[in-house]
Amino acid sequence: MSDVAGRVSVSVRPHPRGGGPTATGGGTDSSMPTSGPLVDRYGRVHDDVRVSVTDRCNLRCVYCMPEKGMTFQPRAALLSFEEIVRVAVVARDLGVTSLRLTGGEPLVRKDLVTLVARLSALGFRDLSLTTNATLLAPLAAPLAAAGLRRVNISCDSLRPERFAAIRRRGELATVLSAMQAAERAGLTPLKVNVVLLRGENDDEVLDFAQFARTTGRIVRFIEFMPLDAQGEWDPARLVPGREIHDRIHARWPLRAIDVGSVAPAERFAFVDGHGEIGLISSVTQPFCGTCNRLRLTADGAIRNCLFSDDEVTLRDQMRAGASDETLALAFRRAVWAKFPGHAINEPEFLRPTRSMSMIGG
Ligand code: SAM
Ligand code: SF4
């Protein structure tokens, strides 16, 4: 429910760390800035938005979706391209400089190239895409021509049978040739996202390091987060970023690359000059203190943290005739309501009710 004055009702569960007002109508206080960049109560400036264009996917990765029984949003619940572009304009005018399209699998959304062209015309400094790459090869050149700058490709194993076991659908060979197509199209630097699971693919750490060294692709190891739809997250399956670093460093010495204060990935170059890896240690070394991200879910809610269920539904406001000023105020409230951190490691942590594929990873 919403009204054009910007009051919205959303499902909000209390956050274990307490924190400020919610992103709903109660999210404003007199100290909330009404101009300038999107800043929260902890001084974090938000200039990066992840836009989920669909909650659907053509794969069923074990850490993200159940093999059977996923239910997806009806088409009418998703933002139209016009609505996405409208929200992007509001975000850009609030100082957002970086936009990443994601999902679900963004390339299952029809005519994504058209959306990319429209977003590219808005002049973001960075426009990128996260994809499982199963549908990417024929689209890489058209996406680049439409203004996409770069892609992150998810690939959790370099062994065909294991790839099939973890991703459940799709083939490793398709993904590897899509990586080449992306590079030919200039969608670089190419980053490869890897989720390691203890006992399943963690014996491939050095294979992936070698892959980074020989291809020049930046392999980024993402810790398994409690965002799977099955609710089977078990910290014992998580492989800590520090362990990954140490295993690689023992074979090929690494040195840290200073990335400034806002990058979630810790970056490391191989000392001998052959490539780079990244560690996204969201669970064991949270980067909440420098988080600059917001998410727009496929059904049009602003979400200020992957792990907070406090959402502001822009879709309903837009469909009720809200002005751009009202949408901008909703952005400010969402940012102002952001908690200092996700609290995964605290006993009171509440798992988000929506999975990564629904929120937009
Ligand atoms: N379908 C696209 C893909 O797989 O790249 C984009 C969406 S996916 C949700 C974005 C990223 O989130 C992928 O790199 C995926 O591996 C990662 N991911 C999904 N569920 C995760 C989880 N529970 N923990 C950590 N990473 C996860
Ligand atoms: Fe689909 Fe990406 Fe989730 Fe895998 S991680 S099921 S490819 S949305």
Side-chain angles (χ1 to χ4, degrees), residues 63 102-105 130-132 154 193 195 223-225 356:
Y63 51 77
T102 181
E105 173 47 42
T130 301
T131 174
N132 64 36
S154 307
N193 290 351
V195 178
E223 285 182 349
F224 180 32
M225 293 181 269
M356 189 88 145

Side-chain angles (χ1 to χ4, degrees), residues 48-50 97-102 106-107 112 116 124-131 136 140 143-153 179 182-183 185-193 218 220 263-265 267 276 292-293:
D48 183 316
V49 175
R50 313 269 138 149
T97 57
S98 176
L99 206 80
R100 172 174 293 278
L101 300 176
T102 181
L107 296 180
L112 194 76
V116 166
F124 289 98
R125 177 182 52 74
D126 192 20
L127 182 60
S128 59
L129 174 81
T130 301
T131 174
L136 178 64
L143 285 166
L148 192 73
R149 296 275 173 87
R150 54 197 183 88
V151 286
N152 287 9
I153 292 179
M179 290 183 193
E183 285 165 337
L187 295 170
T188 53
L190 186 64
K191 294 182 182 166
V192 178
N193 290 351
I218 302 170
R220 304 177 339 142
R267 290 172 53 188
E276 174 182 334
N292 64 340
R293 288 186 183 170

Side-chain angles (χ1 to χ4, degrees), residues 27-38:
T28 310
D29 63 42
S30 57
S31 51
M32 186 185 88
T34 51
S35 63
L38 279 172

Side-chain angles (χ1 to χ4, degrees), residues 305-341:
C305 173
L306 267 176
F307 298 99
S308 165
D309 281 332
D310 187 6
E311 294 182 351
V312 179
T313 60
L314 291 188
R315 179 197 66 197
D316 296 347
Q317 296 193 67
M318 284 191 280
R319 293 181 186 176
S323 66
D324 285 356
E325 290 70 32
T326 299
L327 301 184
L329 183 62
F331 262 105
R332 289 197 182 281
R333 283 180 172 156
V335 170
W336 199 243
K338 187 157 169 162
F339 294 104

